[in-house]
Amino acid sequence: VLILLPVGPQAASPGRVRPHVLVVDDDESMCALLGAELGARGFDPSVETNPERVVEFLRSRHVDVVITDLKMRGMDGLELCERIAAAHPDLPVVLLTAHADLTAAVAALRVRAFDFQTKPPDIDALTAVLERAVRQGRLAEEIRVLDEGVGGGPEPFEGILGASPPMRELVQLVGRVAAVDAAVLIRGESGTGKELVARALHERSRRHNGAFVALNCAAIPESLLESELFGHVRGAFTDARADRAGLFERARGGTIFLDEIAELHLSLQPKLLRALQERVVRPIGSDREVEVDVRLITATNADLLSAVEKRQFRADLFYRLNVIEIVAPPLRERGRDVLLLAQYFLEQCARTMGREVLGLTASCAAKLTAYSWPGNVRELANVIERAVALTRSSRIAVDDLPQHVRANDAVRSATLASGMEELVPLEEVELRYIRRVMKATGGNKTLAAQILGVDRRTLYRKDWAEKPLEPSTSEVKVS
Amino acid sequence: VSAADEGSGRVIARSPAATALLPRFLEHRRRDLVTLRAALADGDFETIRTLGHNMAGNGTSYGFPEMSTIGRHLEAQASAGDSAAVRGQLASLEACLERVADEAKAREG
């Protein structure tokens, strides 16, 4: 096997995440001994003497591999193995049996155990099995994640990331609207990325070499906002010690983005309207008008039309601003974009914090997609940043999420074909995974190599996409 | 003690972790002996079978194959409901625990 992922005890050097192994045995002495031995060999061990508590434990903690005794009071290892397989199909389970006979082997296969070892275990052999199990479990989960469309997602469009139908529509609209030098009103809840859309419009417009100036109308007092927008001359007011150009002048040839436009005071609305209609502004205290050449993009999370009806916002300005309307969809309507974005933020944070966090567990992904995200993408980014900082594992688990996200019961659990129903050799798992990544990346070997964490040349040695899966692993080795 | 048992002592028995855990291990086995005697008096062969099974697994793991052999016998005799044989094994276990305690002291020293 050429491609080995950096997992297992050899990865337990400083800065690496130790694989979490759960030891299940109703004999406390065996639990303690195995836990201590595996801990000394680079694993992060947890022990459980009551097999009936294991499923509950796995709901709240990410575990890389389970090792369980076969004969236990309350629930035997085979039943436990079946329960784990039902709830966590990617989680490998190693059975410990008193006698390594054919009956035990068949039983282990029947419950889809990863392997079985005899008691007392040869700790070196057991360690090797656990390393393989961890590696296969992570690969299987990667395959599942790719099946869910998380990995290998689309390239960001000017920083906008999303593959859901509403986001595809948004990106198409931005592409079309950018070329037209018309005013744009972006509507959307807080945290949906309205400024990102405005920037994308600017970057894709003929004005992209000009300035992009953003201003939040709610963040500046009315008295200062007029000066900020239109400028002032020396002596126009007490603190006006020198002439100062406003945003309309400073953004000449570029784009002005006014966020929270609904907060623009009524007294300023006619002046903004005039700037748009006449394309001139008059700085405070000046008797001359200044020509302006900017594109105005505005945004709001308020119902501007309702504000017009209540006479809180001028109708003529509303229609002037709303030449083209773009709606930034809330995250709850973006389906699996939640996972795409979570993975994106996760990688960013892991890089920044220097942490070895690779992805999400399946149950964590289910929680994230089930949550309604009232704070939208901004809230998701914060949740992921916190989780990357706190997690003790290579994958963010449910336990790493804040309570309000974790407590969401409306889990739309991912019911996806794993393609890993049968027990297959590691080589085959790797081959399938590589092919899956290649498919997901549209054959982009550079991107695929990044996801796989291997040198690009490794992928050039063979054309994975054309290589058929063989029943015998000896046929699919590459070297 | 069979040759097979002696041979299977290869594992973790002499590791620092096993040595560190020995006092607790012996304390648990002494407690098991009390539980086993009570179970025999009550005719509770299921408890004897379970504890025998566990002893079979953990004895050799801690470096005491003789204890594993006794555990296996207890498991089999409990399954057969053979009180007399179990009583004999418990006497063997008591003697074994004394020897093991001495050996444990030697290991720690």
Side-chain angles (χ1 to χ4, degrees), chain A residues 327-449:
Chain A
V327 178
L331 190 51
R332 65 180 169 280
E333 292 176 7
R334 292 176 57 181
R336 307 206 76 78
D337 279 357
V338 173
L339 301 184
L340 197 68
L341 289 160
Q343 185 69 25
Y344 174 75
F345 293 134
L346 182 151
E347 286 169 10
Q348 270 197 330
C349 293
R351 214 169 19 246
T352 309
M353 297 179 195
R355 303 217 62 204
E356 194 79 13
V357 183
L358 305 174
L360 314 165
T361 64
S363 50
C364 174
K367 285 285 181 193
L368 293 182
T369 49
Y371 183 59
S372 61
W373 299 107
N376 292 294
V377 181
R378 190 179 295 129
E379 183 183 7
L380 173 65
N382 292 341
V383 165
I384 296 298
E385 184 179 3
R386 173 187 184 275
V388 170
L390 295 181
T391 188
R392 295 196 304 147
S393 175
S394 61
R395 296 193 174 275
I396 295 176
V398 173
D399 243 15
D400 301 319
L401 301 175
Q403 175 58 26
H404 64 280
V405 179
R406 212 166 53 208
N408 197 316
D409 289 325
V411 179
R412 299 184 308 233
S413 60
T415 50
L416 299 147
S418 71
M420 288 296 296
E421 292 299 317
E422 74 280 28
L423 292 173
V424 295
L426 183 59
E427 290 97 326
E428 199 168 316
V429 176
E430 285 186 348
L431 179 62
R432 288 184 189 193
Y433 177 60
I434 292 164
R435 291 180 62 182
R436 181 74 68 184
V437 172
M438 291 294 284
K439 188 179 171 189
T441 57
N444 183 331
K445 288 190 173 72
T446 304
L447 183 58

Side-chain angles (χ1 to χ4, degrees), chain A residues 186 193-203 212 255 257 297:
Chain A
I186 304 166
K194 295 186 287 295
E195 182 166 341
L196 210 55
V197 173
R199 281 186 187 276
L201 285 169
H202 171 73
E203 291 300 329
F212 176 86
T255 304
F257 172 59
I297 300 174

Side-chain angles (χ1 to χ4, degrees), chain A residues 27-29 37 120-123, chain B residues 11 15 24 28-29 58 62:
Chain A
D27 178 6
E28 194 266 345
S29 295
E37 289 294 339
D122 177 329
I123 197 67
Chain B
V11 268
S15 72
R24 196 162 155 201
H28 285 182
R29 297 299 76 80
N58 60 38
Y62 277 84

Side-chain angles (χ1 to χ4, degrees), chain A residues 34 57 70 72 82 89 113 151 159 217-218 223 258-259 289 321 338 340 370 380 403 412 417:
Chain A
L34 279 175
F57 181 90
L70 186 62
M72 294 181 288
E82 283 179 320
C217 297
S223 55
L258 297 181
D259 200 0
E289 289 185 326
L321 297 175
V338 173
L340 197 68
L380 173 65
Q403 175 58 26
R412 299 184 308 233

Side-chain angles (χ1 to χ4, degrees), chain B residues 32-55:
Chain B
D32 283 353
L33 183 60
V34 174
T35 307
L36 284 163
R37 282 186 172 136
L40 181 62
D42 293 345
D44 179 2
F45 288 105
E46 180 55 27
T47 294
I48 297 169
R49 196 193 60 74
T50 302
L51 289 179
H53 172 80
N54 285 349
M55 208 176 292

